Amino acid sequence: MNWNLLSKYRSELMGVATIAVVLFHFFEEVGKHITEVDNTISILYDYGRYGYMGVEIFLIVSGIGCYYSAHRNFDIKNFYKKRIKRILIPYLLVTVPFWIYIDIFLNQSIEEFLYDLTGISFFIDTKTFWYVFFILIMYFLFPLLYKFFFNNEKDAFLNFMFVELLVIFLTIILYVEMYDIFDIVEVALTRIPIFIFGVYIGPKVYQGKKVGYFTLVLSVLSLLLITFDFDSQLVMRYINSIQSIGFSLIIVKIFDIVNLKSMNRFFSFVGKYSFEVYLLHIALRRIMISLDIKPYEWNNYLIIILLTVLLTWFIQLITNMKNKKVYK
């Protein structure tokens, strides 16, 4: 099996990950009201709740994408500009009206609005759009990782392992010594290693190298633990990261074998707008909850999905108009 499949079917993989995350947020609500849903939904919950690993897949693909950008023509200024614009325009279009409604209209607090919009609240208690600020931090740190890993290709693996082990070691210390802080930021902190992994395998994907037997066997075998519930959130996150590698390889291999154009186009289309879909369906779910509409009922969640599709198109239209003005 070739690492290059992760590039060849990048958009399709992102599409699968996007749908997985959307379904996870539905089953997250189901889990909170498991006694109120019908048997079919409760049975599906046992599988749908693992859709959060779509986030790990996003991070693998993001790490690879960062390497591709740097390898072609590494201009740090353009690197930051391109990614910040890609993140901030959709983010502000969705979250400014959302937080105005939640914080100012409902809670009558400008202070909360500023905390939530800037992401400061993530370090207190609000995880609504945590991924946005996390990926921006990863983008900011990427040039350091790139230079440290690839200044000397011979030392890339050792440097990669050093950084991974250092991050894991510091996370364990935080987990043991300051669990209250760890519990607030763990959703992001424990996912740093999988982004770093994506950066590290960037050259392997670019050069079309074969997946090593150790990586393939370990990641695929880890999928056997999919139904295990670990007492430690820390252990579970790191096992999920390994499992996400296995899922990614299996998904792209399926696309490569089946090679059904209509299926590929569908998942590629979803993957192209993954960030907008992520922002919108989270915002719409929260608004639905505030209106006392039950998002764990499938018909209500279907409304969220339909509105997400419609608003994604609208946001993309505005984004394209802004980009045209910038280029002019």
Side-chain angles (χ1 to χ4, degrees), residues 87-103:
I87 295 292
L88 286 188
I89 293 176
Y91 173 73
L92 292 174
L93 285 172
V94 174
T95 60
V96 169
F98 171 75
W99 287 124
I100 286 175
Y101 170 71
I102 295 294
D103 290 332

Side-chain angles (χ1 to χ4, degrees), residues 14-15 45 49 58 66 91 95 100 145-147 155-156 159 179 214 221 225 243 255 258 270 273 299 305 307 311 328:
M14 290 283 280
Y45 167 76
R49 64 193 176 111
F58 286 149
C66 286
Y91 173 73
T95 60
I100 286 175
L145 293 172
Y146 180 79
K147 290 187 176 182
D155 296 332
N159 292 340
Y179 182 80
F214 177 78
L221 284 180
L225 300 174
Q243 290 170 332
F255 278 113
V258 176
V270 176
Y273 302 109
N299 53 328
I305 294 173
L307 287 173
L311 291 173
K328 285 181 179 180

